[in-house]
Amino acid sequence: MSEQRRIPQHVAIIMDGNGRWAELRGLERHQGHAAGVEPVRAALRAAARHGVQVLTLYAFSTENWGRPAPEVDALMELFCQCVVSEAPELVRQGVRVRMIGQRERFSEKVRTALEQIERQTAGGRTLTLVLALNYSSRSEITRAVQRIARRVADKEIRPEEICESTITENLDTAPYPDPDLIIRTSGEQRLSNFLLWQASYAEFWFPEVLWPDFTEETFDQAIEEYARRDRRFGLVTK
Ligand code: FPP
């Protein structure tokens, strides 16, 4: 395997364990989320250092709206604060921020903050940070099917012309390659409605560490683990 192929082009992370981290310390759950910001910075630094091109973070799922209102409100406030506090460093590092998921459900304040960070970082060329916000894979696939059905109804394409790439091109993730490596922290081993279509050939890594304890070294371990994997894509090893 060439050195190039040992580095995943796209890493996606399910940042899990903030609540447990807080509870273990007798803190409120929202304090666990606040402690989850520094690991985001660490993951970004490490991803850029390794030459990863796309880093996707599962920051808020469509199911997360069902959490207690104070926790949801605290998360929204945290996202808005981060836009202001992180923007200069993201621009300095050449990070371009984009999002997947449905932004319509967010308050105007959050939507404005997201548009602001996307605009401010639009020129970033080192790394694309994709934030999955109000995201779930089934909702994303459903919306893609609706778009394709409309094109069929409008006679732009025939049903038999629909192929895998038609679906890929209609997902929120259309501009990005499929994830090569998906990391979920906290020892849980499930996808929780994250990138179901895109994960077809992804490698998975499930470290025990809770997200607030995730460091650059944890990311380095993930890259080492990935380099040991034999990716065959349904073929045989040469
Ligand atoms: C899952 O842990 C984590 C979340 C739902 C929120 C993730 C948000 C951050 C890490 C904040 C910073 C992010 C950005 C993009 C600025 P959990 O609460 O489900 O943990 P638990 O399973 O231990 O309860």
Side-chain angles (χ1 to χ4, degrees), residues 79-90:
F79 295 144
C80 291
Q81 281 170 14
C82 283
V83 164
V84 178
S85 64
E86 306 306 309
E89 183 59 17
L90 293 171

Side-chain angles (χ1 to χ4, degrees), residues 3 8 10 37 43 57 63 70 79 93 102 109 132 136 143 146-147 154 158 168 173 186 192-193 195 205 213 220 238:
E3 204 45 46
H10 181 176
V37 176
L57 301 178
E63 289 80 15
F79 295 144
Q93 290 184 314
Q102 278 186 294
K109 184 179 168 189
S136 90
R143 286 184 283 111
Q146 288 170 349
R147 271 196 291 271
D154 293 345
R158 287 181 313 213
T168 301
T173 52
S186 89
S192 300
N193 221 343
L195 303 180
W205 191 55
D213 293 326
D220 294 345
K238 278 193 191 127

Side-chain angles (χ1 to χ4, degrees), residues 160-195:
E160 55 275 20
E161 285 175 330
I162 296 170
C163 56
E164 289 188 9
S165 63
T166 320
I167 297 172
T168 301
E169 285 159 15
N170 279 281
L171 295 172
D172 297 352
T173 52
Y176 318 113
D178 282 347
D180 302 293
L181 173 63
I182 296 182
I183 302 169
R184 182 177 189 143
T185 56
S186 89
E188 307 284 357
Q189 303 193 4
R190 55 178 173 268
L191 268 180
S192 300
N193 221 343
F194 185 51
L195 303 180

Side-chain angles (χ1 to χ4, degrees), residues 37-49 214-217 219:
V37 176
E38 183 51 40
V40 170
R41 298 187 190 111
L44 268 170
R45 282 194 301 271
R49 176 161 51 74
F214 186 98
T215 61
E216 282 195 55
E217 289 69 35
F219 196 97

Side-chain angles (χ1 to χ4, degrees), residues 15-21 23 29 33-34 36-37 40 57-60 64 67 71 75 78-79 82 131 186 188 210-211:
M15 308 181 288
D16 197 10
N18 294 351
R20 275 163 285 168
W21 183 93
E23 281 156 21
R29 291 181 58 84
H33 298 312
V37 176
V40 170
L57 301 178
Y58 203 6
F60 195 84
N64 287 155
R67 292 191 175 198
E71 183 177 345
L75 270 168
L78 188 62
F79 295 144
C82 283
L131 297 176
S186 89
E188 307 284 357
L210 302 175
W211 179 251

